[in-house]
Structures are given as C-alpha cells and as structure tokens.
Amino acid sequence: MIESDLIYKLSSCTSNAINYLAVTIMIKTTIKTERLLAHKTECLILFCLEEKNPSGKLADLDKKLKGIIGVSFKNKRFEGKLNQTLLMNIPKPIRADNLMLVGVGKGQEMTADKLRQAAGTAARYAEKSNLKAISFYIPTDKFAKEIYDGIGKSGESFAQTVVEGSLLSLYHFDDYKKPEKDKSNRVKQFTLLIDAKSRITPVRSEVLRGRKLAEAVCVSRDLISHPSNTATPSYLAGKAREFAKSFGMTCKVLAPRDMARLGMGALLGVAKGSQEPPAFIILEHHGGDKNDPPVVIVGKGITFDTGGISLKPPANMDEMKMDMSGGSVALGTLRAASALKIRQNVVGLVPATENMPSGNAVKPGDILKSMSGKTIEVLNTDAEGRLVLADALTYAARYRPKVVIDLATLTGAVIVALGHQAAAILGNNDKLINRLQQCGEVTGERLWPLPLWPEHEKAVKSDIADLKNIASPGTGAGTITGAAFLKAFAEEQSWCHLDIAGTSWSSEEKPYTPKGASGFGVRLLIRYLEQEAKDNQSS
Ligand code: BES
Ligand code: MN
Ligand code: ZN
C-alpha cells in the first residue's frame, strides 16, 4: 500500500502577518501519505499508550525492528507514561534517522490535553536534541482507538491537537537577540504522516485550525514578552489597529481627552503618574447578526506595574511588564475570533496605562470618581488593576452584552491560593462560570471557582467614599475582595472575572509552554466563543 507522496504545504500566514508573528508559526507544516518505514525524516515521532506491550501499528513496526521497542517496554526504559520520551537511533529498515516514542498515559484516562502535552514534549525534546526536521505519525482510529475516544469526547481532533501542542512548545521570543544567535538549532520542518490519501482533506483543515489556535496564543505571548519600553499603551493600540485592518474588525482607541469626557476618573487616576499617555482600546468582531448582543472581553492592560506611590519591592519587579497579560489575551482572542470567522459578536476592551510613581501620581487616600459615578478611595496605589477595570466594566454596559468576561493579573493572593496550576474564576452567574470551567478542562487552561459573598462586598465599602480599592485590614481573601470590588462596577451585567496572575507567566517550562508568557486564556475563550456561536445557530 504505497501511497503517492502528496505534499500539502500549508501556510496560513499572509505576508503582512509575518511581521508580527512569532518564529514558531513560520514553521512550515506538511502533510504526507507514505509508509512509516519509507518516510525520510530526522526524527519520526510515535505516540504510545501506557501498556505492557506495544500494540497496533507499533507492534508491526517493532517486528520489523527486531523487537527493540518491545524490549524498551520490557526493561522499563519506556512505559508510555504521559510525557515520557525515548529517542532511538535506528539504521534499518526505517528510513528515518531517529525514532522517538512519546507516552500519552493510560488509554482510559486519555484526554485532548494529554495528547497536546505529549506532542509539545516530543517536539521540544527533538529540538533540544538538535533535530531540525520532525514528523509525527498520525495513526487512524483503527490503530489508536483509545486515543481517538479520549480526545473525541472533547470534540477536538487528533491532528489539530498535535499541531497545537507542538507549535506552542516550539515558541521562542528572541526579537531582541542578534539575528543569527541561538537560532541555528530550531525545528524547521514539521510533517504529519498519515495512512491514506482519503484523510488528507480532513487532516488539512484540522492542521489549519491547530495553527490558527497556536498563532493566536503566540501573538498574545509576544505582546506580553515585550518589555514595557516597547509595549506601551500606544504600542498595544497600534497592534489592535493592525489586527483590525488585517482581519476586518473595527478598532477605536480613546485618547486621554476622550476618557476625561466620559468621566473615566479611575483609569485616568492610575495614568496620572506616567509620562506615557493611556489608551482605551476597543476592538470589535462583527461575527453575528447585527443586533445580537456581544460577548465583551475586558483585559487589564497595565503595561508596567511599579506599584505607584505604594511602590513594589525591587525583587522580580521586571516581571511586572506582564501586567497587561489580560489585555494581550483579549487582543489575541479577538484576532483569532475574526481569523476563525466565529459567528458571534465579540468586543475586546483594554484599558491600558502604566502604573508609576511621580510628583503627579495618585496618592494613598486620594479619592477618584469613576465613570459609573461611584467614588473610590485609593488606599493602596498598587491595587491599580481594579481601578482601570472599573471604568472598562462600566463602558462594557454600553453594549448591553450577553456576558462580560474580564481577565486580569489582579492579585498575588491568587498564587497563594492556587499556585500556577489554575486561574481563579469568580462572578455573578454560575452558569457562565461552569461553562468557562468546562472549556478550560478541554483546553488545558484550568479555572477554579472561589466564592463571592456579601461579606466580601462589604469589606470594600469605604467610610468616606462609595468604595475603597483594598479591603479593611485583616479581611484576607485578597483575590475575592479584588473581585468584590469589580462586582460593584459590573452591576447588572452577567459577568465573571478570571484572575490570571498565577498562570499568565511561567518561571518553569511546561509541556507546551516555554518559560515566560503563557498566553493563558486565549484557547479557552475561543472555545467558549465557538460554543456561544453554536448556541446562536441552534436557537
Ligand atoms: N499586578 C499585581 C498583581 C500580580 C502579582 C500580578 C504577582 C502578577 C504576579 C497587582 O496590581 C497588585 O499589585 N496587586 C496587589 C493588590 C494589593 C495591593 C491589594 C497584590 O497582589 O499585592
Ligand atoms: Mn499593582
Ligand atoms: Zn497590577
């Protein structure tokens, strides 16, 4: 059964897009139909279940390789455990220079995210082993029934998940390095090997989808990774305009005088200490019917958080360039929603500013008047995220939205509560919270609910203003009181808040997330928007 060497070169990049795309996405993806043994590559990668003996296609291959795969299982050199890898150099009869096995764990416990992780682990291991051309074998459901069943539950597909995981793990941010430095050992060729010509068309669309998803995440990662002297509020606004132009969205940016006219005193209060002008970015994707209420995504856009007059300590302050992660995720999600032509109206709102100390800066004890009319006593200038979000949530109400979802690196306390494994989710609509949480299970972006009780809302009431931006001493529950403050500005809207302070930046490598910006939230929101779009169709 030798199939012809049909090669489909997929390039989802437009020439204009190349400028701002991560290197990752420039890796060419090729689909080939060829026999496993005849396929020439530097590294052929096979997914393996955790089981006693290799089965299916792997067993066939093992016979031809005189049982060396079976021996590895027997010696427990390799057991197929999730993210376990084994790289073997095999001369003949295989034409690939190397064979890599990567574990996906037990068949009954299979999920889409496990396959995504295994693909990411394998791709990165290959790259670290200086292999520049890698090929993943995408078995049919006949040879990998359990894997297909496991990922099928989520509605994701095999090839998409593999492409997504690999491209995400091969992301590098090196805009500030000399062009040649450290780039010679990058994976340059990426091939999916399939069994039958008849599968080319479906696999091709799965691959395209995987690329678009990875691309959206990498666009957000890029924005987050740039230092604050590049990624200023104006820079973010420029990017939003660029996305709008490339993908047919509308973009409007409010300048400080517009903010003043609207009475956005909370946002302007935070911006007062900075030389950089703030920007309020509005990006709209018109994917649904004209009068359908949009999903509004609000993202915290603090391009650098020094703490202001309530100055942060020096250690790790550099990481506060990522305090616009929520905003970047909002922009990346809007870009993807339009690229994927999601049939749902979506609005992205990013209140962007620096938080700086200066002779002009807002001081502890100052009272700001927000766009809602509510006054805020600023007791700690380092609780600035909730101030800029307050005005954005008020602005969101103008759209009479279906739901409002805000994403923010809001509190260090969320790291105490959940570490780096999950973002906290809080809000005023349990259905929305559940739905988002389920989306995150599939995309591998975990959300964990925290309560929001009347006592927490009381804790952010001020003696001399309507609200205060930090809770009374001894209240504790920093993540919850932050959300309680936001709730006052969400008012009657169906709203939820994701505190992504622990998940948007990673100080260690994860299977498909390199160190640094993770882009957490993008794939989760896309999945959510697609579900909403489906609901629109059926109702
Ligand atoms: N941007 C920070 C939160 C943060 C901390 C993000 C660690 C990422 C990693 C936020 O503006 C902040 O400073 N929050 C304060 C709130 C406090 C003053 C109530 C905090 O968490 O300490
Ligand atoms: Mn702060
Ligand atoms: Zn902040």
Side-chain angles (χ1 to χ4, degrees):
M1 302 185 309
I2 301 179
E3 281 91 8
S4 62
D5 286 11
L6 267 169
I7 303 175
Y8 278 72
K9 294 206 171 110
L10 295 166
S11 171
S12 60
C13 313
T14 63
S15 55
N16 145 357
I18 297 275
N19 297 332
Y20 55 79
L21 283 185
V23 176
T24 303
I25 305 305
M26 287 190 224
I27 300 171
K28 213 163 55 194
T29 316
T30 306
I31 303 171
K32 276 195 178 191
T33 62
E34 227 175 27
R35 279 184 313 141
L36 218 47
L37 293 175
H39 180 59
K40 183 102 191 73
T41 175
E42 281 181 35
C43 184
L44 175 62
I45 302 167
L46 303 177
F47 295 103
C48 299
L49 284 163
E50 185 175 344
E51 53 189 12
K52 283 204 186 66
N53 299 300
S55 66
K57 202 81 175 172
L58 201 57
D60 295 349
L61 186 67
D62 196 27
K63 256 182 233 152
K64 301 212 167 81
L65 296 174
K66 304 194 170 68
I68 64 166
I69 300 176
V71 166
S72 308
F73 272 88
K74 209 170 153 200
N75 295 344
K76 304 208 168 179
R77 274 269 292 126
F78 180 83
E79 298 170 279
K81 290 209 157 74
L82 180 61
N83 295 329
Q84 193 183 20
T85 49
L86 181 67
L87 183 59
M88 295 182 276
N89 182 286
I90 299 169
K92 262 184 183 172
I94 245 187
R95 283 193 72 207
D97 300 337
N98 296 280
L99 177 67
M100 188 191 293
L101 306 182
V102 60
V104 295
K106 295 203 171 72
Q108 301 94 319
E109 294 164 17
M110 193 63 208
T111 63
D113 197 56
K114 287 185 178 171
L115 184 62
R116 196 180 289 116
Q117 288 185 32
T121 303
R124 186 182 295 134
Y125 182 38
E127 187 169 84
K128 287 195 173 158
S129 311
N130 214 1
L131 300 164
K132 296 175 192 71
I134 65 173
S135 300
F136 281 94
Y137 175 60
I138 308 293
T140 60
D141 50 4
K142 194 170 123 213
F143 295 113
K145 188 176 178 312
E146 285 162 300
I147 303 183
Y148 274 91
D149 286 351
I151 58 179
K153 282 184 289 205
S154 64
E156 303 288 294
S157 59
F158 202 119
Q160 172 213 314
T161 310
V162 170
V163 169
E164 209 182 302
S166 326
L167 294 184
L168 287 174
S169 84
L170 296 175
Y171 170 83
H172 300 275
F173 182 74
D174 43 23
D175 287 21
Y176 296 87
K177 286 189 177 171
K178 280 208 200 80
E180 296 314 315
K181 212 179 164 201
D182 295 341
K183 288 187 197 171
S184 49
N185 58 344
R186 295 288 161 78
V187 167
K188 294 194 175 65
Q189 259 189 58
F190 183 90
T191 306
L192 296 188
L193 193 60
I194 58 178
D195 275 331
K197 264 196 270 186
S198 61
R199 297 181 66 220
I200 288 177
T201 310
V203 167
R204 185 165 184 260
S205 65
E206 292 176 18
V207 168
L208 269 173
R209 186 174 157 73
R211 286 186 70 95
K212 281 186 185 157
L213 291 169
E215 186 178 293
V217 177
C218 293
V219 163
S220 297
R221 285 178 180 176
D222 275 355
L223 296 177
I224 298 168
S225 304
H226 278 300
S228 73
N229 60 338
T230 296
T232 59
S234 319
Y235 175 90
L236 291 183
K239 284 295 172 187
R241 287 200 188 95
E242 197 178 303
F243 297 165
K245 204 165 160 218
S246 307
F247 297 95
M249 292 184 281
T250 50
C251 178
K252 205 167 128 191
V253 179
L254 304 184
R257 62 177 178 282
D258 305 314
M259 299 171 197
R261 193 172 40 80
L262 288 166
M264 292 181 160
L267 170 57
L268 284 169
V270 176
K272 256 175 59 173
S274 173
Q275 300 286 318
E276 285 292 336
F280 189 93
I281 305 166
I282 305 162
L283 196 53
E284 298 176 0
H285 162 63
H286 303 275
D289 290 339
K290 197 167 171 287
N291 294 320
D292 281 350
V295 170
V296 177
I297 300 170
V298 178
K300 171 175 172 181
I302 299 295
T303 57
F304 197 82
D305 183 10
T306 64
I309 296 297
S310 313
L311 195 63
K312 286 184 182 295
N316 304 324
M317 201 205 268
D318 57 291
E319 283 184 8
M320 284 303 130
K321 69 174 184 178
M322 58 69 112
D323 213 18
M324 30 63 89
S325 297
S328 303
V329 167
L331 298 183
T333 303
L334 263 289
R335 186 181 176 281
S338 53
L340 291 163
K341 302 193 167 62
I342 297 180
R343 298 182 66 167
Q344 164 68 51
N345 294 326
V346 192
V347 177
L349 299 178
V350 183
T353 178
E354 289 183 333
N355 184 25
M356 297 288 285
S358 93
N360 281 329
V362 67
K363 302 172 292 298
D366 287 359
I367 295 179
L368 301 174
K369 184 159 184 182
S370 68
M371 183 181 171
S372 69
K374 290 181 180 162
T375 54
I376 305 164
E377 188 185 9
V378 179
L379 290 176
N380 188 322
T381 65
D382 199 10
E384 83 297 340
R386 60 198 73 183
L387 297 175
V388 305
L389 290 171
D391 282 341
L393 289 170
T394 302
Y395 192 89
R398 297 183 146 207
Y399 289 94
R400 305 202 165 280
K402 192 175 189 178
V403 302
V404 184
I405 303 168
D406 83 67
L407 293 99
T409 47
L410 205 74
T411 65
V414 78
I415 306 175
V416 178
L418 301 171
H420 303 281
Q421 306 309 323
I425 182 164
L426 307 93
N428 58 16
N429 180 332
D430 286 340
K431 237 172 102 184
L432 174 61
I433 291 174
N434 286 336
R435 191 162 221 194
L436 282 165
Q437 202 182 3
Q438 276 168 23
C439 290
E441 281 310 311
V442 174
T443 62
E445 294 156 292
R446 285 200 195 105
L447 302 178
W448 203 252
L450 291 177
L452 218 174
W453 290 313
E455 289 85 344
H456 299 120
E457 292 174 58
K458 213 173 134 207
V460 290
K461 294 230 168 7
S462 160
D463 292 337
I464 59 167
D466 297 321
L467 291 144
K468 52 188 178 189
N469 77 334
I470 56 169
S472 317
T475 305
T479 301
I480 304 180
T481 55
F485 180 90
L486 296 176
K487 187 169 184 253
F489 297 89
E491 306 208 48
E492 299 311 309
Q493 307 175 80
S494 179
W495 154 82
C496 78
H497 158 68
L498 274 57
D499 193 332
I500 57 171
T503 47
S504 72
W505 190 260
S506 184
S507 34
E508 56 170 32
E509 225 170 62
K510 292 180 182 167
Y512 53 85
T513 309
K515 268 190 197 177
S518 68
F520 182 101
V522 172
R523 290 176 303 109
L524 163 87
L525 288 173
I526 295 171
R527 188 176 172 85
Y528 169 77
L529 292 173
E530 285 181 331
Q531 285 190 3
E532 290 297 315
K534 224 187 249 161
D535 287 0
N536 290 348
Q537 288 335 98
S538 53
S539 68

